[in-house]
Amino acid sequence: MKKKIISILLCCCTVMGFAPVTALAADAETEISLMMMDFREVKADQQGDNWTWDASDKILTLNNFQGVVKTGVREKSSAILLPKDSTLYLEGKNNKITTNSYHCNGVYSEGDLIIDGKGKLEINIESAGASGIYVNSGVLSIDSKAEINVDSPRHAIYIYDLKANKVAVTVKDDAKLTFPDDLNDDAVFVVTKSGVDPKSITFDYKETRDKDEEIVTLSKAEAKTPEKPSENPEEKPTEEVTENTYLITIGNKEIRKNGETAYTSDAVPYITNGYTMLPLRALLVLSDPNVDIKWDATTKTAQISYNNKLFTLVANQKTLTKDSATVDLATAAEIQDGRLFVSLRDWMKIMEVDDTHVSWNSEAKTVTLKH
């Protein structure tokens, strides 16, 4: 698809004598660094090159914004991070986000996200482990005349933890969502938890395919009505909720998930004063690749955005803050090999896992966690 687009542009330039090349040149590219474009905790209005943030209404406006995340920056994160109930407002036809970093999404929202306006946004994703737009515990609505064009090797849209009776993605009015046709069923990917009937998930769009350009376009709200159950439905066994098994071995950097190595930490678990101490980031990342952990080396404080809650953890203190509540720890978090460690018991408090899901093998010195 990219080659065809480039060919068309070259032909146009030849016909026009190359005169419009300068006029069509993209605005200056903005390199998105580690601390930029994260508006989840920003309470004051801000403005940058081709973007403005309205904190009171939680509206991020892009006006021909050209942003790029380079390799090795914001890994397992996103180029733009928004709080829940945000609006991404598009102005201009030359908005573009490119992420070349591992597992780096284009746009991430902690809840419901509206994309509005009359502009266009192109999102280019390099990593197969990332998505164009990632919505956590919410729904996505693309309204008015906003156009979203995602070029991604795997997911154009990823909706995590969709609640019951919610429409995951809505494309309204003259809005459009475009992505490569080879994404197939992975183009709009929805993850649900127990209690959600898959039949209640409907995608509110009209779908057209362009075989020559190899793209699929979703536009205008035409809701697909869920199939009505028959008067005498056949009884079906209740589907069990998928449960993953993690194996952590003292002195071993590898964490195994369902029998296979899923993560290799740069620090090893150890035992001190009878407590199994684990690197804070490891299992949080496995459970949610987009978990956000901010570390302040001066105050030795970690802020963790996980499962729609904000945890604050300070090294050598026996309490943590969960949103605004204080929670007692079994033992203080401590720093080893330049990494913050917490006890297994306190790790479970952060992940909200009860004791029945954890077992300890004293001979093999392994922890088995089911979650």
Side-chain angles (χ1 to χ4, degrees), residues 8 54 70 99 116 174 233 253 265 328 344 358:
I8 292 172
D54 183 333
K70 294 190 175 181
T99 70
D116 203 348
D174 294 322
K253 293 183 178 181
S265 176
D328 291 330
L344 172 62
V358 177

Side-chain angles (χ1 to χ4, degrees), residues 150-351:
V150 179
D151 190 352
S152 170
R154 191 172 184 188
H155 304 305
I157 307 296
Y158 193 103
I159 308 293
Y160 180 78
D161 191 17
L162 182 71
K163 306 303 180 185
N165 303 317
K166 293 284 188 178
V167 177
V169 178
T170 303
V171 182
K172 298 179 180 178
D173 308 322
D174 294 322
K176 291 183 180 180
L177 167 63
T178 306
F179 51 81
D181 66 349
D182 59 0
L183 297 186
N184 301 316
D185 293 339
D186 281 344
V188 181
F189 196 80
V190 181
V191 177
T192 65
K193 292 190 176 180
S194 68
V196 178
D197 179 3
K199 290 185 178 180
S200 71
I201 303 170
T202 59
F203 300 129
D204 202 5
Y205 57 69
K206 176 182 178 181
E207 178 180 306
T208 58
R209 291 178 176 266
D210 187 326
K211 293 182 179 179
D212 293 332
E213 293 296 329
E214 298 178 345
I215 59 174
V216 176
T217 300
L218 309 184
S219 60
K220 296 185 180 180
E222 292 187 2
K224 296 181 180 180
T225 304
E227 296 180 2
K228 294 182 178 179
S230 59
E231 295 182 0
N232 298 307
E234 296 181 2
E235 292 187 2
K236 295 183 178 180
T238 303
E239 293 185 4
E240 296 183 358
V241 179
T242 302
E243 186 176 63
N244 295 308
T245 300
Y246 301 92
L247 184 68
I248 305 152
T249 303
I250 300 302
N252 192 329
K253 293 183 178 181
E254 293 183 351
I255 296 179
R256 300 180 70 81
K257 177 180 178 182
N258 301 328
E260 297 182 357
T261 300
Y263 185 86
T264 301
S265 176
D266 53 3
V268 298
Y270 60 93
I271 297 176
T272 183
N273 298 324
Y275 290 103
T276 302
M277 305 297 290
L278 308 169
L280 174 66
R281 180 178 295 274
L283 198 57
L284 289 173
V285 169
L286 278 178
S287 179
D288 179 5
N290 289 280
V291 64
D292 183 53
I293 303 175
K294 295 179 180 178
W295 172 249
D296 187 327
T298 303
T299 60
K300 298 181 180 179
T301 301
Q303 281 196 329
I304 309 153
S305 297
Y306 180 77
N307 202 19
N308 292 324
K309 295 179 178 65
L310 179 65
F311 298 86
T312 302
L313 187 66
V314 182
N316 303 319
Q317 288 190 9
K318 290 193 69 173
T319 60
L320 65 79
T321 302
K322 179 179 178 181
D323 289 333
S324 58
T326 300
V327 179
D328 291 330
L329 299 176
T331 187
E334 55 188 38
I335 297 175
Q336 290 285 343
D337 298 326
R339 295 290 178 264
L340 185 64
F341 281 73
V342 295
S343 72
L344 172 62
R345 185 172 298 276
D346 297 323
W347 207 12
M348 291 162 58
K349 289 180 182 178
I350 296 174
M351 295 186 65

